[in-house]
Amino acid sequence: MRLVVVSAGLSVPSSTRLLADRLAAATGRQTEAEVEVVELRELAVEIAQNFTNGFPGRRLAAAIDAVTSADGLIVVTPVFSASYSGLFKSFFDVIDKDALTGMPVLIAATGGTARHSLVLDHALRPLFAHLRAVVVPTGVYAASEDWGAEGLDGRIERAAGELAALMRGLAGTRRPVPDTLTVVPFAEQLAAVSDRSGG
C-alpha cells in the first residue's frame, strides 16, 4: 500500500512537517505502507503557474499523481487566519474534484495557540468532505504548547490507527470515476436482478 503525506509547512525546520512525520511513522507501525512525502513549499511556483497557464509542471504533476493514486493520505497545514494556508488550498484546487473520491484521509494542523484547533472541523473536514474523501474521525491539532506535553502522542496514535484500518479495509476498492455516467432505468435494473435470482 502507498501512504502519501502532504505537508504545507513553509519554514525549515517546520512543526508542520514534524507532525506529518510523526503521523506517518505511527500509521506505518499499524499497517505496512510505502510512504512518500509531498512538500508543498517546494511546489509553490508550479502551483501558481498552473493557475495561469492551466498546465502542471513536471514536479507538480508527479505530486498530483502520487496523491491521487495513494491508498491513504495524511494532510497537514499550518493555520493562517484561522484556516488552512493558501498554498494548501491552492494545491487541492489544482487536483481534479473527483480524484479523491473514497480516499482515506487523516487531517492535521499546527498553530501557535490551542484556540485555532477548530480549524480541523470548520475548514479541513468540510474541504475533504466536498472532495468526497473518507476523513478519519480523529483529527490532530498541535499548538506550540502541545509539543512534549501529555495528550499529543495519544491523539497521533488514535488517528493513525483509524487511518491504517481504513486503508486496510478499502485497499483495492477505489475505482477511477468515469468521465460519463450511464443511467440505467429502474425497470432494467429490476429485470437484471430477477434474471440473476432465477425468477
Side-chain angles (χ1 to χ4, degrees), residues 148-182:
E150 189 177 340
L152 180 59
D153 287 343
R155 295 196 306 275
I156 287 172
E157 291 296 328
R158 184 168 62 245
E162 293 167 357
L163 178 62
L166 263 181
M167 288 173 64
R168 288 191 302 268
L170 296 176
T173 63
R174 289 186 70 233
R175 298 285 184 265
V177 177
D179 291 334
T180 58
L181 297 176
T182 304

Side-chain angles (χ1 to χ4, degrees), residues 99-191:
L100 298 184
T101 299
M103 174 77 70
V105 177
L106 190 167
I107 57 173
T110 58
T113 171
R115 290 193 298 272
H116 289 306
S117 62
L118 289 176
V119 69
L120 296 173
D121 292 320
H122 289 275
L124 286 165
R125 200 171 295 277
L127 171 63
F128 289 96
H130 171 74
L131 296 172
R132 297 196 298 277
V134 181
V135 183
V136 303
T138 302
V140 179
Y141 179 81
S144 299
E145 62 266 25
D146 287 324
W147 298 104
E150 189 177 340
L152 180 59
D153 287 343
R155 295 196 306 275
I156 287 172
E157 291 296 328
R158 184 168 62 245
E162 293 167 357
L163 178 62
L166 263 181
M167 288 173 64
R168 288 191 302 268
L170 296 176
T173 63
R174 289 186 70 233
R175 298 285 184 265
V177 177
D179 291 334
T180 58
L181 297 176
T182 304
V183 177
V184 179
F186 179 74
E188 288 181 30
Q189 294 179 41
L190 187 59

Side-chain angles (χ1 to χ4, degrees), residues 1-6 34-40 43 57-75 91-92 95 99-100 103-105 167 174:
M1 284 191 291
R2 293 181 64 245
L3 172 64
V4 175
V5 181
V6 177
E34 176 187 336
V35 178
E36 180 175 347
V37 178
V38 174
E39 280 277 11
L40 297 187
L43 301 172
R58 181 181 52 82
R59 291 192 307 162
L60 178 58
I64 292 171
D65 183 60
V67 166
T68 57
S69 63
D71 295 298
L73 286 180
I74 294 172
V75 298
F91 176 71
F92 287 100
I95 294 177
L100 298 184
M103 174 77 70
V105 177
M167 288 173 64
R174 289 186 70 233

Side-chain angles (χ1 to χ4, degrees), residues 19 26 50-51 54 70 87 98 122 125 127 144 165:
L19 180 58
N50 189 90
F51 280 110
L87 180 61
D98 296 319
H122 289 275
R125 200 171 295 277
L127 171 63
S144 299

